[in-house]
Amino acid sequence: MKTNYRQISGYTLIEVLVGIVIFAVGMMALVQLQCSLAKSSAVETARTTSTNIAEERIEAFRSFSQIPEAGGVASFAGIKTSDATETETRGNISYSVDTVVTDFYYNQDTEEFQPTKPDPDIIYPDLKRVEMTVSWGTGDNAMAFRIDDTQSMD
């Protein structure tokens, strides 16, 4: 007697389980990638914001309208090192801004700029170097952005 086996189409249980495992591993990789992209995006947003804060403050220094300090008007003489760390909050992130201003005087004998007055009769410096550091985050997540700029009386 001849046995007739029919061709049965479909998947076995092992094939289905292997497919589910491969799909699950792929989905976990996508979730990890998405988390990494979200974190990277948040860091870049904070970095861009810190850059904007520094640029705004540098531009405020550049907007002086007179040399001597008087009457609350923005002045070249008013560009000074801040006494304390200033804090600014944007987008639920608190940024600390430290500003250091160094006066420079032109020495005609050496034809170079120097941080000390070559002549005690000089009232105002020729240049001011502004070093600004904007930092945010705490502990292992602390980050900072630093910008240097030079302001002249011209």
Side-chain angles (χ1 to χ4, degrees):
M1 182 149 119
K2 192 173 183 185
T3 308
N4 210 0
Y5 291 103
R6 295 185 307 167
Q7 190 72 14
I8 301 175
S9 62
Y11 300 102
T12 65
L13 182 59
I14 299 294
E15 291 171 329
V16 171
L17 288 176
V18 167
I20 289 173
V21 167
I22 290 172
F23 179 76
V25 168
M27 290 307 292
M28 288 190 308
L30 285 175
V31 167
Q32 186 177 13
L33 176 65
Q34 184 66 27
C35 291
S36 174
L37 289 175
K39 183 179 179 183
S40 177
S41 176
V43 168
E44 290 309 314
T45 299
R47 188 180 317 252
T48 300
T49 303
S50 71
T51 303
N52 290 341
I53 290 170
E55 287 176 347
E56 288 169 9
R57 291 177 183 239
I58 293 290
E59 287 303 317
F61 286 153
R62 288 183 180 159
S63 67
F64 64 87
S65 58
Q66 61 188 20
I67 302 301
E69 210 172 356
V73 178
S75 66
F76 182 73
I79 302 174
K80 299 177 182 173
T81 298
S82 57
D83 296 331
T85 299
E86 299 174 43
T87 304
E88 187 168 331
T89 302
R90 291 192 187 175
N92 296 328
I93 298 176
S94 186
Y95 297 89
S96 299
V97 182
D98 292 310
T99 305
V100 176
V101 179
T102 307
D103 294 338
F104 282 92
Y105 304 87
Y106 184 73
N107 186 333
Q108 293 181 353
D109 296 335
T110 62
E111 295 183 356
E112 293 180 353
F113 288 96
Q114 61 189 39
T116 56
K117 291 182 180 183
D119 180 358
D121 295 333
I122 295 176
I123 300 173
Y124 301 111
D126 297 299
L127 294 174
K128 290 183 180 258
R129 180 175 183 207
V130 178
E131 298 175 46
M132 190 172 297
T133 303
V134 182
S135 55
W136 65 98
T138 56
D140 291 339
N141 296 326
M143 302 196 119
F145 171 79
R146 183 177 171 164
I147 188 169
D148 293 341
D149 191 48
T150 303
Q151 307 294 315
S152 67
M153 289 194 299
D154 296 337

